[in-house]
Amino acid sequence: MSVLALIPARGGSKEIKRKNIKLISGKPLINWTIETAKKAECIDRLIVSTDDEEISEIAKKSGAEVPFMRPKEISKDNTPGIEPALHTIKQIPNFEWLLLLQPTSPLRSVEDIDGIFNFCIKNNCPSAVSVCEVNKHPYHMYHMNKSFNLKPFIKDRPKLSARQDFSPLYITNGALYLAKVDWLLKNKNFIGLETLGFTMPLSRSIDIDTMYDWNIAEQELNNK
């Protein structure tokens, strides 16, 4: 059961300039994902999809393939995340599975990568994404108007106060997206009715979007 691993890494980034190749804990951010993916047993081929020559060179030096350059029209701020995946499938056919690994999740482990693939096989599902339990429940969330008045986000919420009183809720953490290629081409999305959630610990679920995220991730990487 062949697995193609895809790391999408465009050159543009707004919040953190040149984020994908900015040094974090001594190496470019994208290198953490490449080096971890190279150790995974389930991956047969590892490629980077980018529109940026500098990212391409750094990725190749780290051991990933860059068999094509991504078109600019699917490398914009508002490009849906599925587009680079569908483009890659067209460029590199004949794989049964596609595993998408965002470079903004540098704390994922080899065990996480092999784990989600084994999880799919064990549960006979065509798609799985990594999730983690939320540490802030929506029952504790509010809307606030211009006068700073608070209105509960969820109406008619139960009168519970302690976190352990709530049923667990999960959120996608951005680290792992796995799907059978045929299923992905049909659904045009990594998440569908048949998708299962693969749980990762919060400690490995940081998805870098802001400098605050960056600083936390760097501290964790430094502690490794």
Side-chain angles (χ1 to χ4, degrees):
M1 290 178 283
S2 55
V3 178
L4 174 64
L6 166 65
I7 302 174
R10 69 187 184 92
S13 56
K14 291 296 181 72
E15 183 74 22
I16 304 173
K17 297 297 183 183
R18 308 294 288 164
K19 175 170 62 177
N20 287 320
I21 53 175
K22 181 180 170 67
L23 294 184
I24 182 169
S25 192
K27 65 182 73 172
L29 176 62
I30 194 172
N31 286 27
W32 290 97
T33 294
I34 292 172
E35 291 172 12
T36 300
K38 286 171 60 181
K39 299 174 186 176
E41 294 181 358
C42 72
I43 294 174
D44 296 294
R45 188 175 179 185
L46 173 64
I47 73 163
V48 169
S49 170
T50 184
D51 62 324
D52 187 279
E53 291 289 350
E54 187 179 11
I55 292 176
S56 174
E57 290 304 313
I58 288 173
K60 285 187 279 190
K61 287 180 181 178
S62 186
E65 292 183 58
V66 187
F68 55 83
M69 295 300 291
R70 194 199 306 178
K72 295 292 183 181
E73 58 265 25
I74 58 169
S75 303
K76 301 176 181 178
D77 291 338
N78 59 352
T79 298
I82 191 63
E83 290 300 327
L86 296 177
H87 176 259
T88 295
I89 291 171
K90 291 180 181 179
Q91 301 299 313
I92 306 178
N94 304 321
F95 277 86
E96 185 175 356
W97 294 85
L98 183 72
L99 173 64
L100 189 142
L101 304 168
Q102 296 192 127
T104 49
S105 298
L107 298 178
R108 79 168 76 72
S109 67
V110 176
E111 290 75 22
D112 294 325
I113 294 174
D114 284 328
I116 194 170
F117 180 72
N118 293 329
F119 174 80
C120 266
I121 300 304
K122 179 181 178 180
N123 290 281
N124 192 29
C125 68
S127 167
V129 298
S130 56
V131 298
C132 63
E133 187 175 348
V134 298
N135 59 358
K136 301 294 182 183
H137 201 282
Y139 285 148
H140 287 160
M141 296 180 183
Y142 296 82
H143 293 289
M144 187 166 69
N145 62 20
K146 294 181 180 180
S147 298
F148 313 110
N149 299 115
L150 297 177
K151 181 180 179 181
F153 175 68
I154 296 178
K155 297 179 181 180
D156 303 320
R157 56 184 181 173
K159 294 182 179 180
L160 303 173
S161 56
R163 181 170 173 264
Q164 56 267 27
D165 293 336
F166 303 134
S167 299
L169 288 177
Y170 298 86
I171 187 171
T172 54
N173 67 0
L176 301 159
Y177 297 85
L178 176 65
K180 284 189 173 182
V181 169
D182 290 345
W183 184 92
L184 194 60
L185 289 172
K186 179 181 177 181
N187 287 269
K188 303 290 191 297
N189 201 315
F190 275 99
I191 300 178
L193 295 176
E194 299 167 284
T195 304
L196 301 184
F198 174 75
T199 305
M200 282 176 56
L202 190 61
S203 60
R204 296 201 299 273
S205 294
I206 294 175
D207 182 11
I208 297 176
D209 188 47
T210 66
M211 280 307 302
Y212 179 75
D213 302 328
W214 182 281
N215 292 334
I216 294 175
E218 187 161 42
Q219 183 175 342
E220 291 294 324
L221 291 170
N222 288 339
N223 290 337
K224 280 190 174 183

PDB file of all heavy atoms in Angstrom, residues 9-39:
ATOM      1  N   ALA A   9       4.663  23.941   0.987  1.00  0.00           N
ATOM      2  CA  ALA A   9       5.445  25.031   1.582  1.00  0.00           C
ATOM      3  C   ALA A   9       5.589  26.181   0.583  1.00  0.00           C
ATOM      4  O   ALA A   9       6.586  26.268  -0.134  1.00  0.00           O
ATOM      5  CB  ALA A   9       6.817  24.522   2.010  1.00  0.00           C
ATOM      6  N   ARG A  10       4.609  27.050   0.555  1.00  0.00           N
ATOM      7  CA  ARG A  10       4.693  28.187  -0.362  1.00  0.00           C
ATOM      8  C   ARG A  10       5.602  29.268   0.209  1.00  0.00           C
ATOM      9  O   ARG A  10       5.890  29.296   1.414  1.00  0.00           O
ATOM     10  CB  ARG A  10       3.295  28.740  -0.654  1.00  0.00           C
ATOM     11  CG  ARG A  10       2.617  29.430   0.506  1.00  0.00           C
ATOM     12  CD  ARG A  10       1.174  29.798   0.176  1.00  0.00           C
ATOM     13  NE  ARG A  10       0.564  30.557   1.268  1.00  0.00           N
ATOM     14  CZ  ARG A  10       0.562  31.882   1.351  1.00  0.00           C
ATOM     15  NH1 ARG A  10       1.139  32.586   0.401  1.00  0.00           N
ATOM     16  NH2 ARG A  10      -0.011  32.506   2.357  1.00  0.00           N
ATOM     17  N   GLY A  11       6.031  30.164  -0.663  1.00  0.00           N
ATOM     18  CA  GLY A  11       6.968  31.199  -0.249  1.00  0.00           C
ATOM     19  C   GLY A  11       6.340  32.332   0.535  1.00  0.00           C
ATOM     20  O   GLY A  11       6.966  32.907   1.425  1.00  0.00           O
ATOM     21  N   GLY A  12       5.099  32.663   0.234  1.00  0.00           N
ATOM     22  CA  GLY A  12       4.452  33.785   0.911  1.00  0.00           C
ATOM     23  C   GLY A  12       3.926  33.409   2.278  1.00  0.00           C
ATOM     24  O   GLY A  12       3.392  32.327   2.477  1.00  0.00           O
ATOM     25  N   SER A  13       4.092  34.283   3.231  1.00  0.00           N
ATOM     26  CA  SER A  13       3.503  34.120   4.563  1.00  0.00           C
ATOM     27  C   SER A  13       3.375  35.506   5.171  1.00  0.00           C
ATOM     28  O   SER A  13       4.315  36.306   5.092  1.00  0.00           O
ATOM     29  CB  SER A  13       4.353  33.203   5.451  1.00  0.00           C
ATOM     30  OG  SER A  13       5.668  33.667   5.562  1.00  0.00           O
ATOM     31  N   LYS A  14       2.234  35.777   5.785  1.00  0.00           N
ATOM     32  CA  LYS A  14       1.940  37.143   6.241  1.00  0.00           C
ATOM     33  C   LYS A  14       2.394  37.396   7.676  1.00  0.00           C
ATOM     34  O   LYS A  14       3.129  38.349   7.945  1.00  0.00           O
ATOM     35  CB  LYS A  14       0.432  37.395   6.108  1.00  0.00           C
ATOM     36  CG  LYS A  14      -0.048  37.466   4.655  1.00  0.00           C
ATOM     37  CD  LYS A  14       0.566  38.655   3.929  1.00  0.00           C
ATOM     38  CE  LYS A  14       0.098  38.773   2.483  1.00  0.00           C
ATOM     39  NZ  LYS A  14      -1.283  39.203   2.360  1.00  0.00           N
ATOM     40  N   GLU A  15       1.953  36.571   8.592  1.00  0.00           N
ATOM     41  CA  GLU A  15       2.227  36.812  10.009  1.00  0.00           C
ATOM     42  C   GLU A  15       3.719  36.704  10.324  1.00  0.00           C
ATOM     43  O   GLU A  15       4.291  37.532  11.032  1.00  0.00           O
ATOM     44  CB  GLU A  15       1.438  35.815  10.863  1.00  0.00           C
ATOM     45  CG  GLU A  15       1.583  36.009  12.363  1.00  0.00           C
ATOM     46  CD  GLU A  15       0.820  37.207  12.890  1.00  0.00           C
ATOM     47  OE1 GLU A  15      -0.136  37.644  12.216  1.00  0.00           O
ATOM     48  OE2 GLU A  15       1.170  37.703  13.974  1.00  0.00           O
ATOM     49  N   ILE A  16       4.363  35.657   9.786  1.00  0.00           N
ATOM     50  CA  ILE A  16       5.792  35.450  10.011  1.00  0.00           C
ATOM     51  C   ILE A  16       6.459  35.356   8.639  1.00  0.00           C
ATOM     52  O   ILE A  16       6.249  34.385   7.911  1.00  0.00           O
ATOM     53  CB  ILE A  16       6.058  34.168  10.827  1.00  0.00           C
ATOM     54  CG1 ILE A  16       5.304  34.205  12.161  1.00  0.00           C
ATOM     55  CG2 ILE A  16       7.555  33.993  11.067  1.00  0.00           C
ATOM     56  CD1 ILE A  16       5.387  32.910  12.954  1.00  0.00           C
ATOM     57  N   LYS A  17       7.247  36.338   8.274  1.00  0.00           N
ATOM     58  CA  LYS A  17       7.865  36.390   6.950  1.00  0.00           C
ATOM     59  C   LYS A  17       8.808  35.208   6.740  1.00  0.00           C
ATOM     60  O   LYS A  17       9.597  34.878   7.628  1.00  0.00           O
ATOM     61  CB  LYS A  17       8.633  37.704   6.772  1.00  0.00           C
ATOM     62  CG  LYS A  17       7.754  38.951   6.831  1.00  0.00           C
ATOM     63  CD  LYS A  17       6.733  38.973   5.691  1.00  0.00           C
ATOM     64  CE  LYS A  17       5.910  40.252   5.715  1.00  0.00           C
ATOM     65  NZ  LYS A  17       4.863  40.268   4.660  1.00  0.00           N
ATOM     66  N   ARG A  18       8.695  34.595   5.547  1.00  0.00           N
ATOM     67  CA  ARG A  18       9.546  33.474   5.158  1.00  0.00           C
ATOM     68  C   ARG A  18       9.508  32.367   6.212  1.00  0.00           C
ATOM     69  O   ARG A  18      10.520  31.726   6.526  1.00  0.00           O
ATOM     70  CB  ARG A  18      10.986  33.925   4.918  1.00  0.00           C
ATOM     71  CG  ARG A  18      11.151  35.094   3.963  1.00  0.00           C
ATOM     72  CD  ARG A  18      10.730  34.731   2.552  1.00  0.00           C
ATOM     73  NE  ARG A  18      11.681  33.819   1.907  1.00  0.00           N
ATOM     74  CZ  ARG A  18      11.411  33.113   0.819  1.00  0.00           C
ATOM     75  NH1 ARG A  18      10.207  33.196   0.263  1.00  0.00           N
ATOM     76  NH2 ARG A  18      12.322  32.329   0.292  1.00  0.00           N
ATOM     77  N   LYS A  19       8.340  32.141   6.754  1.00  0.00           N
ATOM     78  CA  LYS A  19       8.163  31.238   7.889  1.00  0.00           C
ATOM     79  C   LYS A  19       8.717  29.839   7.647  1.00  0.00           C
ATOM     80  O   LYS A  19       9.374  29.258   8.522  1.00  0.00           O
ATOM     81  CB  LYS A  19       6.670  31.155   8.235  1.00  0.00           C
ATOM     82  CG  LYS A  19       6.313  30.166   9.324  1.00  0.00           C
ATOM     83  CD  LYS A  19       4.875  30.312   9.771  1.00  0.00           C
ATOM     84  CE  LYS A  19       3.883  30.052   8.665  1.00  0.00           C
ATOM     85  NZ  LYS A  19       2.481  30.145   9.165  1.00  0.00           N
ATOM     86  N   ASN A  20       8.444  29.277   6.467  1.00  0.00           N
ATOM     87  CA  ASN A  20       8.792  27.875   6.236  1.00  0.00           C
ATOM     88  C   ASN A  20      10.292  27.597   6.252  1.00  0.00           C
ATOM     89  O   ASN A  20      10.699  26.456   6.464  1.00  0.00           O
ATOM     90  CB  ASN A  20       8.183  27.399   4.915  1.00  0.00           C
ATOM     91  CG  ASN A  20       6.681  27.221   5.014  1.00  0.00           C
ATOM     92  OD1 ASN A  20       6.174  26.736   6.003  1.00  0.00           O
ATOM     93  ND2 ASN A  20       5.965  27.635   3.974  1.00  0.00           N
ATOM     94  N   ILE A  21      11.121  28.628   6.025  1.00  0.00           N
ATOM     95  CA  ILE A  21      12.570  28.421   6.059  1.00  0.00           C
ATOM     96  C   ILE A  21      13.255  29.294   7.114  1.00  0.00           C
ATOM     97  O   ILE A  21      14.479  29.349   7.184  1.00  0.00           O
ATOM     98  CB  ILE A  21      13.210  28.661   4.679  1.00  0.00           C
ATOM     99  CG1 ILE A  21      12.822  30.016   4.110  1.00  0.00           C
ATOM    100  CG2 ILE A  21      12.819  27.533   3.717  1.00  0.00           C
ATOM    101  CD1 ILE A  21      13.520  30.352   2.796  1.00  0.00           C
ATOM    102  N   LYS A  22      12.484  29.950   7.947  1.00  0.00           N
ATOM    103  CA  LYS A  22      13.035  30.719   9.061  1.00  0.00           C
ATOM    104  C   LYS A  22      13.652  29.739  10.064  1.00  0.00           C
ATOM    105  O   LYS A  22      13.092  28.682  10.339  1.00  0.00           O
ATOM    106  CB  LYS A  22      11.924  31.543   9.719  1.00  0.00           C
ATOM    107  CG  LYS A  22      12.360  32.412  10.895  1.00  0.00           C
ATOM    108  CD  LYS A  22      11.161  33.178  11.440  1.00  0.00           C
ATOM    109  CE  LYS A  22      11.476  33.868  12.762  1.00  0.00           C
ATOM    110  NZ  LYS A  22      12.456  34.953  12.583  1.00  0.00           N
ATOM    111  N   LEU A  23      14.820  30.094  10.593  1.00  0.00           N
ATOM    112  CA  LEU A  23      15.494  29.206  11.532  1.00  0.00           C
ATOM    113  C   LEU A  23      14.734  29.118  12.845  1.00  0.00           C
ATOM    114  O   LEU A  23      14.356  30.134  13.429  1.00  0.00           O
ATOM    115  CB  LEU A  23      16.917  29.689  11.791  1.00  0.00           C
ATOM    116  CG  LEU A  23      17.904  29.649  10.623  1.00  0.00           C
ATOM    117  CD1 LEU A  23      19.290  30.067  11.089  1.00  0.00           C
ATOM    118  CD2 LEU A  23      17.955  28.250   9.997  1.00  0.00           C
ATOM    119  N   ILE A  24      14.525  27.881  13.287  1.00  0.00           N
ATOM    120  CA  ILE A  24      13.900  27.639  14.589  1.00  0.00           C
ATOM    121  C   ILE A  24      14.687  26.524  15.280  1.00  0.00           C
ATOM    122  O   ILE A  24      14.885  25.451  14.705  1.00  0.00           O
ATOM    123  CB  ILE A  24      12.413  27.279  14.461  1.00  0.00           C
ATOM    124  CG1 ILE A  24      11.782  27.075  15.847  1.00  0.00           C
ATOM    125  CG2 ILE A  24      12.177  26.083  13.555  1.00  0.00           C
ATOM    126  CD1 ILE A  24      10.260  26.968  15.827  1.00  0.00           C
ATOM    127  N   SER A  25      15.181  26.802  16.433  1.00  0.00           N
ATOM    128  CA  SER A  25      16.017  25.854  17.165  1.00  0.00           C
ATOM    129  C   SER A  25      17.152  25.332  16.284  1.00  0.00           C
ATOM    130  O   SER A  25      17.456  24.142  16.270  1.00  0.00           O
ATOM    131  CB  SER A  25      15.173  24.693  17.699  1.00  0.00           C
ATOM    132  OG  SER A  25      15.899  23.915  18.647  1.00  0.00           O
ATOM    133  N   GLY A  26      17.758  26.242  15.508  1.00  0.00           N
ATOM    134  CA  GLY A  26      18.975  25.915  14.784  1.00  0.00           C
ATOM    135  C   GLY A  26      18.835  25.424  13.359  1.00  0.00           C
ATOM    136  O   GLY A  26      19.847  25.177  12.696  1.00  0.00           O
ATOM    137  N   LYS A  27      17.608  25.264  12.857  1.00  0.00           N
ATOM    138  CA  LYS A  27      17.452  24.799  11.474  1.00  0.00           C
ATOM    139  C   LYS A  27      16.180  25.366  10.868  1.00  0.00           C
ATOM    140  O   LYS A  27      15.281  25.799  11.603  1.00  0.00           O
ATOM    141  CB  LYS A  27      17.438  23.275  11.418  1.00  0.00           C
ATOM    142  CG  LYS A  27      16.262  22.610  12.110  1.00  0.00           C
ATOM    143  CD  LYS A  27      16.353  21.085  12.062  1.00  0.00           C
ATOM    144  CE  LYS A  27      17.413  20.559  12.977  1.00  0.00           C
ATOM    145  NZ  LYS A  27      17.382  19.071  13.074  1.00  0.00           N
ATOM    146  N   PRO A  28      16.079  25.391   9.531  1.00  0.00           N
ATOM    147  CA  PRO A  28      14.851  25.891   8.905  1.00  0.00           C
ATOM    148  C   PRO A  28      13.631  25.111   9.375  1.00  0.00           C
ATOM    149  O   PRO A  28      13.711  23.888   9.565  1.00  0.00           O
ATOM    150  CB  PRO A  28      15.105  25.667   7.406  1.00  0.00           C
ATOM    151  CG  PRO A  28      16.587  25.668   7.267  1.00  0.00           C
ATOM    152  CD  PRO A  28      17.095  25.022   8.531  1.00  0.00           C
ATOM    153  N   LEU A  29      12.529  25.815   9.552  1.00  0.00           N
ATOM    154  CA  LEU A  29      11.314  25.176  10.057  1.00  0.00           C
ATOM    155  C   LEU A  29      10.949  23.927   9.266  1.00  0.00           C
ATOM    156  O   LEU A  29      10.620  22.889   9.843  1.00  0.00           O
ATOM    157  CB  LEU A  29      10.149  26.173  10.008  1.00  0.00           C
ATOM    158  CG  LEU A  29       8.774  25.638  10.405  1.00  0.00           C
ATOM    159  CD1 LEU A  29       8.763  25.170  11.857  1.00  0.00           C
ATOM    160  CD2 LEU A  29       7.693  26.699  10.187  1.00  0.00           C
ATOM    161  N   ILE A  30      11.009  23.990   7.935  1.00  0.00           N
ATOM    162  CA  ILE A  30      10.592  22.862   7.112  1.00  0.00           C
ATOM    163  C   ILE A  30      11.455  21.619   7.348  1.00  0.00           C
ATOM    164  O   ILE A  30      10.993  20.487   7.188  1.00  0.00           O
ATOM    165  CB  ILE A  30      10.602  23.245   5.615  1.00  0.00           C
ATOM    166  CG1 ILE A  30       9.843  22.192   4.793  1.00  0.00           C
ATOM    167  CG2 ILE A  30      12.004  23.447   5.105  1.00  0.00           C
ATOM    168  CD1 ILE A  30       9.647  22.590   3.352  1.00  0.00           C
ATOM    169  N   ASN A  31      12.706  21.825   7.762  1.00  0.00           N
ATOM    170  CA  ASN A  31      13.606  20.691   7.969  1.00  0.00           C
ATOM    171  C   ASN A  31      13.133  19.750   9.065  1.00  0.00           C
ATOM    172  O   ASN A  31      13.370  18.541   9.006  1.00  0.00           O
ATOM    173  CB  ASN A  31      15.015  21.187   8.282  1.00  0.00           C
ATOM    174  CG  ASN A  31      15.736  21.726   7.066  1.00  0.00           C
ATOM    175  OD1 ASN A  31      15.093  22.191   6.120  1.00  0.00           O
ATOM    176  ND2 ASN A  31      17.063  21.687   7.066  1.00  0.00           N
ATOM    177  N   TRP A  32      12.464  20.298  10.074  1.00  0.00           N
ATOM    178  CA  TRP A  32      11.980  19.444  11.160  1.00  0.00           C
ATOM    179  C   TRP A  32      10.978  18.422  10.630  1.00  0.00           C
ATOM    180  O   TRP A  32      11.006  17.247  11.005  1.00  0.00           O
ATOM    181  CB  TRP A  32      11.344  20.303  12.259  1.00  0.00           C
ATOM    182  CG  TRP A  32      12.342  21.107  13.011  1.00  0.00           C
ATOM    183  CD1 TRP A  32      12.678  22.425  12.801  1.00  0.00           C
ATOM    184  CD2 TRP A  32      13.170  20.658  14.089  1.00  0.00           C
ATOM    185  NE1 TRP A  32      13.651  22.817  13.678  1.00  0.00           N
ATOM    186  CE2 TRP A  32      13.976  21.764  14.492  1.00  0.00           C
ATOM    187  CE3 TRP A  32      13.302  19.441  14.769  1.00  0.00           C
ATOM    188  CZ2 TRP A  32      14.906  21.664  15.525  1.00  0.00           C
ATOM    189  CZ3 TRP A  32      14.233  19.345  15.808  1.00  0.00           C
ATOM    190  CH2 TRP A  32      15.019  20.455  16.170  1.00  0.00           C
ATOM    191  N   THR A  33      10.107  18.844   9.750  1.00  0.00           N
ATOM    192  CA  THR A  33       9.126  17.921   9.177  1.00  0.00           C
ATOM    193  C   THR A  33       9.789  16.938   8.217  1.00  0.00           C
ATOM    194  O   THR A  33       9.482  15.739   8.238  1.00  0.00           O
ATOM    195  CB  THR A  33       8.014  18.706   8.462  1.00  0.00           C
ATOM    196  OG1 THR A  33       7.263  19.450   9.435  1.00  0.00           O
ATOM    197  CG2 THR A  33       7.067  17.777   7.714  1.00  0.00           C
ATOM    198  N   ILE A  34      10.699  17.427   7.381  1.00  0.00           N
ATOM    199  CA  ILE A  34      11.378  16.545   6.433  1.00  0.00           C
ATOM    200  C   ILE A  34      12.163  15.458   7.165  1.00  0.00           C
ATOM    201  O   ILE A  34      12.056  14.256   6.839  1.00  0.00           O
ATOM    202  CB  ILE A  34      12.328  17.351   5.522  1.00  0.00           C
ATOM    203  CG1 ILE A  34      11.522  18.269   4.593  1.00  0.00           C
ATOM    204  CG2 ILE A  34      13.219  16.419   4.699  1.00  0.00           C
ATOM    205  CD1 ILE A  34      12.381  19.236   3.791  1.00  0.00           C
ATOM    206  N   GLU A  35      12.931  15.834   8.155  1.00  0.00           N
ATOM    207  CA  GLU A  35      13.776  14.874   8.856  1.00  0.00           C
ATOM    208  C   GLU A  35      12.956  13.827   9.619  1.00  0.00           C
ATOM    209  O   GLU A  35      13.328  12.661   9.680  1.00  0.00           O
ATOM    210  CB  GLU A  35      14.724  15.618   9.794  1.00  0.00           C
ATOM    211  CG  GLU A  35      15.779  16.436   9.050  1.00  0.00           C
ATOM    212  CD  GLU A  35      16.599  17.330   9.951  1.00  0.00           C
ATOM    213  OE1 GLU A  35      16.523  17.156  11.192  1.00  0.00           O
ATOM    214  OE2 GLU A  35      17.326  18.201   9.422  1.00  0.00           O
ATOM    215  N   THR A  36      11.831  14.254  10.171  1.00  0.00           N
ATOM    216  CA  THR A  36      10.959  13.303  10.865  1.00  0.00           C
ATOM    217  C   THR A  36      10.299  12.360   9.871  1.00  0.00           C
ATOM    218  O   THR A  36      10.242  11.146  10.088  1.00  0.00           O
ATOM    219  CB  THR A  36       9.881  14.052  11.674  1.00  0.00           C
ATOM    220  OG1 THR A  36      10.511  14.895  12.637  1.00  0.00           O
ATOM    221  CG2 THR A  36       8.970  13.072  12.410  1.00  0.00           C
ATOM    222  N   ALA A  37       9.808  12.898   8.764  1.00  0.00           N
ATOM    223  CA  ALA A  37       9.123  12.077   7.759  1.00  0.00           C
ATOM    224  C   ALA A  37      10.057  11.037   7.147  1.00  0.00           C
ATOM    225  O   ALA A  37       9.632   9.922   6.828  1.00  0.00           O
ATOM    226  CB  ALA A  37       8.541  12.970   6.669  1.00  0.00           C
ATOM    227  N   LYS A  38      11.327  11.370   6.979  1.00  0.00           N
ATOM    228  CA  LYS A  38      12.288  10.433   6.389  1.00  0.00           C
ATOM    229  C   LYS A  38      12.492   9.189   7.257  1.00  0.00           C
ATOM    230  O   LYS A  38      12.902   8.138   6.760  1.00  0.00           O
ATOM    231  CB  LYS A  38      13.633  11.138   6.171  1.00  0.00           C
ATOM    232  CG  LYS A  38      13.633  12.114   4.994  1.00  0.00           C
ATOM    233  CD  LYS A  38      14.903  12.942   4.964  1.00  0.00           C
ATOM    234  CE  LYS A  38      16.140  12.061   4.838  1.00  0.00           C
ATOM    235  NZ  LYS A  38      17.379  12.896   4.827  1.00  0.00           N
ATOM    236  N   LYS A  39      12.179   9.302   8.540  1.00  0.00           N
ATOM    237  CA  LYS A  39      12.355   8.169   9.450  1.00  0.00           C
ATOM    238  C   LYS A  39      11.116   7.278   9.535  1.00  0.00           C
ATOM    239  O   LYS A  39      11.166   6.196  10.109  1.00  0.00           O
ATOM    240  CB  LYS A  39      12.689   8.690  10.850  1.00  0.00           C
ATOM    241  CG  LYS A  39      13.977   9.498  10.930  1.00  0.00           C
ATOM    242  CD  LYS A  39      14.146  10.101  12.314  1.00  0.00           C
ATOM    243  CE  LYS A  39      15.350  11.025  12.381  1.00  0.00           C
ATOM    244  NZ  LYS A  39      15.459  11.701  13.721  1.00  0.00           N
TER     245      LYS A  39
END
